[in-house]
Amino acid sequence: MLDQIKGLHHVTSMSRDADANNRFFTDTLGLRRVKKTVNFDEPSVYHLYYGDEQGTPGSVMTYFPFPHIIKGRPGIGEVGETQFSVPEGSLAFWKARFAEKGVNGVLSDEAFGENRLRFTAVDGDSFALVEAKTDTRVPWTGGAVAGEEAIRGFAGASLRLGDSGPTEELLKFMGYEHADTSKGIKRFVIPDGNGADTIDLHTLPNMPRGDLGAGSVHHIAFAVENRAAQNAVRQALLDTGYQVTPVIDRDYFYAIYFRTPGGVLFEIATNEPGFDRDEDAANLGEALKLPAQHEHRRAWLETHLPEIKD
């Protein structure tokens, strides 16, 4: 069993409209945009990162906004719901805020002894705010949500699967422990994690496989401290029979990827070097930052990327 993984690092999804996406996460949810860059493989498309003040691993939601992408079809083999942590007693504030902002799909419920407020983002992607009793992480309060109710980071995420058995074994190998079962959903928790440390497995044997598009999660990333820890995880996965990519430099972290038995794309990402490696911490997410291989296209990209109204 591995002990290097500390919880979630980030979750990356697909969207259609960069400006609407930016407005939802910075204004409606009050997160900080910590990086405005481009897709490594398709630089005509942004890669937008939202999180806490520093973009701490375990707080970062990221998006590829493809302007002409089809709408995703929810199904098995993907992340079903991404869960943010908020302070106990704050859901009334968020319910009123969502009504004011016209947020769709708002539903109050309870799971695993936690009060939740479920909702959808602008492309129909599923989220929940979860009241956490013991989350001591410091939120970003320099934006649209300046009070104690602000989001702390991720609580975790749920995966939709046709058969959860092989993914349960994978999570246990990654250091997760089965903590509880509620309404048929199995919860796994990483001990002594980073706060973003729960994964829920929702088995739906009769649901069709999901189709990737706007509103779909592209991949879910798990955090390790450094490259040495990442290399140890990579070798262990290879030894177990997983097909794992080489290490890829993503500028703000190093990444490896592999497909899980249930079809979900997992990433293992390093906490280093962080989002301040090319931008002062006070000005994160303000300027367009480009990977070195695309810097020669800056003039063209600055005039052709969609406008984001800050």
Side-chain angles (χ1 to χ4, degrees):
M1 186 180 74
L2 301 172
D3 61 5
Q4 295 90 347
I5 294 168
K6 302 305 178 185
L8 295 184
H9 186 284
H10 65 270
V11 177
T12 295
S13 293
M14 316 290 283
S15 186
R16 182 175 293 151
D17 185 319
D19 185 56
N21 180 264
N22 178 80
R23 188 166 57 252
F24 185 85
F25 284 91
T26 60
D27 181 41
T28 302
L29 294 188
L31 299 178
R32 185 182 193 189
R33 192 180 71 217
V34 295
K35 196 62 58 181
K36 180 170 68 171
T37 183
V38 296
N39 186 304
F40 270 60
D41 301 315
E42 179 46 79
S44 65
V45 173
Y46 283 116
H47 193 176
L48 303 174
Y49 294 76
Y50 311 100
D52 66 8
E53 184 174 7
Q54 303 298 324
T56 306
S59 76
V60 182
M61 190 74 208
T62 100
Y63 273 88
F64 300 133
F66 285 85
H68 304 295
I69 194 172
I70 63 169
K71 184 175 178 56
R73 184 187 72 179
I76 61 170
E78 63 180 3
V79 174
E81 183 177 75
T82 304
Q83 301 150 358
F84 288 111
S85 171
V86 295
E88 195 170 18
S90 66
L91 290 187
F93 165 87
W94 284 104
K95 190 171 185 179
R97 183 171 182 81
F98 286 172
E100 175 190 345
K101 298 289 185 179
V103 175
N104 294 320
V106 179
L107 174 67
S108 298
D109 74 355
E110 180 271 337
F112 299 101
E114 298 168 330
N115 293 320
R116 306 189 306 174
L117 188 64
R118 306 175 72 182
F119 63 99
T120 58
V122 290
D123 290 285
D125 28 349
S126 297
F127 289 91
L129 298 180
V130 179
E131 286 192 343
K133 299 178 176 65
T134 59
D135 193 342
T136 60
R137 290 176 291 174
V138 178
W140 164 245
T141 57
V145 179
E148 283 296 313
E149 301 87 357
I151 290 170
R152 265 53 182 166
F154 293 127
S158 68
L159 312 183
R160 288 191 294 252
L161 304 169
D163 175 9
S164 69
T167 302
E168 291 178 36
E169 294 306 310
L170 170 61
L171 289 175
K172 291 175 184 177
F173 180 69
M174 291 170 60
Y176 282 82
E177 298 177 356
H178 180 225
D180 199 0
T181 300
S182 175
K183 303 172 185 176
I185 299 172
K186 294 183 178 181
R187 168 157 289 187
F188 289 79
V189 177
I190 200 88
D192 301 316
N194 62 6
D197 42 25
T198 67
I199 296 291
D200 297 336
L201 301 185
H202 193 183
T203 304
L204 299 160
N206 298 318
M207 192 176 196
R209 185 163 293 277
D211 286 338
L212 188 66
S216 303
V217 172
H218 184 272
H219 63 267
I220 183 170
F222 297 82
V224 292
E225 188 61 34
N226 52 40
R227 294 189 68 183
Q230 183 184 65
N231 286 335
V233 172
R234 182 176 186 274
Q235 189 59 55
L237 289 167
L238 288 170
D239 291 344
T240 310
Y242 285 95
Q243 301 295 312
V244 188
T245 68
V247 177
I248 302 172
D249 184 353
R250 294 302 193 194
D251 284 353
Y252 312 108
F253 48 86
Y254 294 89
I256 57 173
Y257 304 86
F258 66 102
R259 187 72 62 176
T260 69
V264 184
L265 182 60
F266 276 14
E267 175 184 345
I268 309 296
T270 61
N271 290 349
E272 58 181 15
F275 291 101
D276 61 353
R277 66 171 295 272
D278 62 356
E279 201 167 22
D280 183 89
N283 303 107
L284 289 180
E286 295 179 7
L288 176 64
K289 296 297 179 179
L290 299 177
Q293 65 268 35
H294 298 312
E295 188 60 50
H296 69 284
R297 302 184 63 184
R298 176 173 291 277
W300 187 90
L301 289 169
E302 287 180 339
T303 58
H304 286 77
L305 284 165
E307 181 183 5
I308 296 177
K309 303 181 184 69
D310 294 322

